Amino acid sequence: MKELFDQLSAECSKITTRRYSTSFSLGIYFLSKKIRGPIYAIYGFVRFADEIVDSFHEYDKKYLLDKFKRDCFEAIAQGISLNPVLNSFQKVVNEYQIEHSLIHDFLNSMEMDLEPAVYSRDKYESYILGSAEVVGLMCLHVFTDGDKAFYERLKPFAMKLGSTFQKVNFLRDVKADYLLLNRNYFPGVDLGNFSDYQKKCIEEEIEEEFRLALIGIKQLPLSSRSGVYLSYIYYKELFNKIKSISANEIMDRRIRISNPHKIGLMFDSMIRYKMNFL
């Protein structure tokens, strides 16, 4: 009967992904069927933690995050959790031997979001490591399926991909982060006087990470390459829209890609992938 509960847990992670992210849902759809479930499980885990610190303002966030952390590692140790999302996540952690240090790093970054903070360059890089780069590494464990040499070779590129996605998110969400959550991740940047020059410096850093991440995507196994490439294309298009507007505008509205536009990008990226024009 545990198998039935595991199936239910996997469905919960899948629903969580689809409800919260159209872009990642479409990207996961283009992964090999065998690895879709594990990636849904990883996304469901990180989304739940993120929601605790970003959304549950009327509750004791620290208590909820601490409990989530305890429940997570207990689930991994016991091989089961009555929280379906943690149950599906522990199964992936144990099956693909994901290092517990990656999970600790991720949850440490979530803890950093509990209180307003001024970010130095070191703290900024530490936050990105935990909130994004290690998530890329969790996924890479699934993509490389136990091939440690392959994993180590692609590790720097997976980290760059996670980093660049996160930095694009920072720019996309800068208004809400600053005005609603009292957060400013960018070191040395006064968002109260955000300038086009500062925005351009951030964008140049992101451009370089996009370039490096694509090198790694081209080396991924066929089972994951097209799905990861599609997510890359979505974020690149979002980034291009962000680049096209001023610092004042980005502090005034949230930039997004419409669902019809995402569908168009999906078809375009699949054509490029099939013709080996990555």
Side-chain angles (χ1 to χ4, degrees), residues 14 20 23 26 52 69 75 77 83 93 124 127 156 174 179 196 200-201 206-207 210 214 239:
K14 182 177 180 179
Y20 279 101
S23 300
L26 286 172
I52 290 172
K69 182 177 182 177
N83 177 328
V93 172
Y124 175 64
Y127 181 86
V174 66
L179 297 179
D196 289 335
K200 182 174 177 56
C201 289
I206 293 172
E207 287 273 21
F210 266 118
L214 185 58
F239 178 59

Side-chain angles (χ1 to χ4, degrees), residues 3 12 15 28 33 57-58 68 72 76 78 81 89 96 100 105 118 152 155 178-179 227 230 234 264 278:
E3 183 180 353
C12 287
I15 291 168
I28 293 172
K33 190 173 183 180
H57 307 308
E58 297 178 1
F68 187 72
C72 170
I76 293 168
Q78 297 294 325
S81 173
F89 180 65
Y96 290 94
H100 293 189
D105 284 344
V118 175
E152 289 298 327
K155 184 176 177 178
Y178 182 61
L179 297 179
L230 180 55
Y234 285 152
L278 272 65

Side-chain angles (χ1 to χ4, degrees), residues 139-240:
C139 294
L140 186 61
H141 272 288
V142 176
F143 298 155
T144 55
D145 195 18
D147 188 330
K148 293 185 178 179
F150 197 14
Y151 172 85
E152 289 298 327
R153 188 165 78 248
L154 293 185
K155 184 176 177 178
F157 303 107
M159 294 173 74
K160 287 298 180 187
L161 185 63
S163 174
T164 197
F165 281 4
Q166 181 66 292
K167 289 173 184 177
V168 172
N169 285 342
F170 286 163
L171 281 176
R172 179 196 63 192
D173 299 333
V174 66
K175 176 187 176 183
D177 282 343
Y178 182 61
L179 297 179
L180 300 180
L181 299 175
N182 196 24
R183 294 178 190 160
N184 175 11
Y185 296 104
F186 299 117
V189 174
D190 176 8
L191 290 178
N193 296 284
F194 194 32
S195 70
D196 289 335
Y197 173 76
Q198 290 171 324
K199 178 173 174 284
K200 182 174 177 56
C201 289
I202 295 167
E203 289 166 351
E204 288 174 351
E205 184 177 302
I206 293 172
E207 287 273 21
E208 176 62 12
E209 291 191 351
F210 266 118
R211 185 188 69 80
L212 293 171
L214 185 58
I215 295 172
I217 291 172
K218 292 178 179 180
Q219 299 178 59
L220 283 170
L222 292 177
S223 58
S224 57
R225 191 183 305 161
S226 61
V228 177
Y229 178 66
L230 180 55
S231 294
Y232 173 93
I233 288 297
Y234 285 152
Y235 266 84
K236 195 69 163 62
E237 181 67 11
L238 176 61
F239 178 59
N240 288 337

